[in-house]
Every structure is written in structure tokens, then in C-alpha cells.
Amino acid sequence: GQQVMQIPQYQHVQEGEDFTTYCNSSTTLSNIQWYKQRPGGHPVFLIQLVKSGEVKKQKRLTFQFGEAKKNSSLHITATQTTDVGTYFCAGNSGNTPLVFGKGTRLSVIA
Amino acid sequence: NAGVTQTPKFQVLKTGQSMTLQCAQDMNHEYMSWYRQDPGMGLRLIHYSVGAGITDQGEVPNGYNVSRSTTEDFPLRLLSAAPSQTSVYFCASSYSIPGGVNYGYTFGSGTRLTVV
């Protein structure tokens, strides 16, 4: 079945440093989604990418969808303590259920 | 507009007991799903539904039943609880956008279940 791999599993950064997490799928995706989960909380939808090569920005967050629609990345510029949490990518093909990566846990040291 | 409401928030069960985790959404979303989250395992799909009267199995369905009699409600039933079902359970809902894909999921706040 479809698999979504996410790296790294953990990332510790100093406040102000940049952060990137990568997502790779075993199959071509119809869309990729990104979620953030704060410690003790629930996943919160951040963004959805559907077009090959698409790039979207939300303030300090930049999301990319690969040309082959099999990989994606989330880049945070100048991290802040409010960025702490686990970031999940999730994707599917057609009408299949969304498959989540295992997430990247981000710690920010002030 | 409450979004996705899950009850209870916490539950302790004894091995062999049964219970139902409730999930309700007020956004008229046709798609609903249940995930479990375990440390290091990410979110794994248990069951999902694409509309009232339609359900299907996900990645880890054993030991769980679901039904979807209305658009709003999607309860998850544990038939005979086992310690391996200790987890955090999330319900999520979504709707379809042009192109046939689902828009981003709205998650409930979760149910933290411990089976002893």
C-alpha cells in the first residue's frame, strides 16, 4: 500500500535558525497536506498542495510540492518558540484515504 | 460552529470491556475517519466513511467497529478492549473539493484511552 516517509524524526534548533522537514511518497499523489500538532493537542491543518511544482507561503512557512508529485517539504525561516510541535505531512491518490507520515518533532531552544 | 466534538476526553477500561467513542461534526462534511496515534507511529487509520450508510476499513481495523447512520455522527466501538488498544484516538472530518480530493481534515481534540 501507499507509504509516506518523513524525515527527520526529530529536530532541535536554536531560536532564529531555519528548519526543514521532508516528505516522500512511494506513489504519485493527487495532493499533499501539512498539519501541526502542539504537545498534548490535536493535528491542525496548515495547507494543501495539489499542483506539480507548487510553492505556497504562510508568513515564515514555505511549502513545496515536487514536480513528480511524490515529495514535499516544509521550511520554517527563523524559528520561534511558538513553532514547537510535530509537523505531519499526509497524502493520497485519487479517492483513497489520507496516509500520514510519522511526523517531525521540532524543539526550539530559546 | 463547534467543529468536531469527541467524547469522552479520557477513559480507563479494563481488559475485555466494551465502549463507544463518540464523534460528532456540525459542518455537514461527508467524509469522516478515525485514527489512532501511538508514540513513534504517527496517525494510523482505523475506519473511514465517505457518507451516511457507507463505511470502510483502514490500516488497523481489527477490534473496532463503526457505523454511520447520519452525516453528523461517526461512533467508534471497541468490542473487547485489550491493552494494545491503549492509545490516543482522533476523529476527523472533511469535504470534497473540485478534482475529487478531500480538503484538509478537521480533527477533534482526541480521546485518551488506557486499557488495563
Side-chain angles (χ1 to χ4, degrees):
Chain A
Q2 181 183 338
Q3 291 185 329
V4 175
M5 311 300 291
Q6 197 171 347
I7 57 170
Q9 188 175 2
Y10 303 98
Q11 186 78 57
H12 306 281
V13 300
Q14 292 279 347
E15 189 173 22
E17 291 183 337
D18 292 355
F19 159 77
T20 304
T21 173
Y22 301 90
C23 184
N24 287 283
S25 170
S26 57
T27 60
T28 301
L29 302 171
S30 55
N31 78 116
I32 192 87
Q33 301 179 17
W34 286 92
Y35 294 78
K36 177 183 179 181
Q37 184 177 24
R38 294 182 185 275
H42 58 278
V44 175
F45 172 67
L46 294 177
I47 207 160
Q48 182 174 31
L49 305 171
V50 297
K51 298 178 182 177
S52 170
E54 189 169 13
V55 177
K56 288 188 176 181
K57 292 188 176 184
Q58 290 180 349
K59 297 183 180 178
R60 295 178 294 104
L61 278 62
T62 301
F63 305 85
Q64 294 186 332
F65 199 10
E67 294 289 341
K69 301 184 76 173
K70 296 182 73 173
N71 63 293
S72 181
S73 65
L74 158 60
H75 179 81
I76 302 178
T77 303
T79 55
Q80 301 175 358
T81 54
T82 54
D83 296 325
V84 165
T86 301
Y87 292 85
F88 293 96
C89 64
N92 62 355
S93 305
N95 290 327
T96 59
L98 206 60
V99 175
F100 282 79
K102 293 186 178 181
T104 297
R105 183 183 298 179
L106 173 64
S107 299
V108 179
I109 305 166
Chain B
N1 191 336
V4 178
T5 302
Q6 287 185 241
T7 56
K9 293 190 182 302
F10 301 92
Q11 183 71 51
V12 179
L13 288 179
K14 293 183 178 179
T15 297
Q17 286 184 318
S18 62
M19 79 159 294
T20 299
L21 279 63
Q22 301 292 343
C23 176
Q25 53 95 4
D26 62 358
M27 298 171 286
N28 202 32
H29 288 173
E30 68 268 20
Y31 184 91
M32 296 185 74
S33 55
W34 277 100
Y35 288 86
R36 60 176 289 173
Q37 186 173 38
D38 303 293
M41 299 296 291
L43 292 155
R44 293 184 293 169
L45 181 66
I46 305 172
H47 286 284
Y48 67 99
S49 169
V50 298
I54 306 169
T55 63
D56 208 343
Q57 296 181 351
E59 179 186 358
V60 289
N62 292 339
Y64 309 94
N65 274 354
V66 292
S67 60
R68 186 92 181 272
S69 57
T70 67
T71 299
E72 295 77 18
D73 299 300
F74 191 44
L76 178 71
R77 282 182 287 277
L78 279 70
L79 309 174
S80 178
S84 60
Q85 293 179 304
T86 293
S87 187
V88 180
Y89 291 86
F90 289 104
C91 178
S93 72
S94 179
Y95 61 92
S96 295
I97 61 175
V101 302
N102 283 336
Y103 190 62
Y105 289 8
T106 299
F107 280 83
S109 57
T111 294
R112 284 150 180 80
L113 176 68
T114 301
V115 183
V116 298

